[in-house]
Amino acid sequence: MNDLLRQVAELRTDLQALDRRVRFLADAFDLVDPVPDDAVAEANLREVIDGLSDAHLDLSTADKHLETVAAHAARLGA
């Protein structure tokens, strides 16, 4: 059980750090010119958009796993 407690604490720390990184990224993304100057800038913007889309899918998958773990924990506590 101690290992689970440690893992949960680490997960919460990681999620808080992720939240800070996402907020920082959102602020930085607000500074990006929506109309790229050249083909390189447009390619870079598309790569950023693709990366964010992939990150969103990763986060959605992790959220589903977290919901499953939370449901198991709730059943144990009932």
Side-chain angles (χ1 to χ4, degrees):
M1 191 59 73
N2 286 339
D3 187 50
L4 283 175
L5 288 171
R6 180 189 55 75
Q7 288 184 48
V8 168
E10 288 176 2
L11 176 64
R12 295 203 61 226
T13 299
D14 292 346
L15 289 173
Q16 290 164 358
L18 176 63
D19 180 61
R20 286 189 299 276
R21 289 178 62 193
V22 169
R23 280 187 277 144
F24 177 78
L25 183 59
D27 291 344
F29 203 80
D30 285 342
L31 302 175
V32 173
D33 186 0
V35 180
D37 296 341
D38 57 25
V40 172
E42 183 174 344
N44 289 340
L45 181 59
R46 290 192 184 280
E47 190 172 334
V48 167
I49 291 168
D50 289 346
L52 289 172
S53 178
D54 291 345
H56 182 259
L57 290 173
D58 294 340
L59 187 57
S60 294
T61 299
D63 184 50
K64 289 176 187 173
H65 293 306
L66 185 57
E67 287 178 13
T68 300
V69 170
H72 289 302
R75 281 197 300 272
L76 289 174

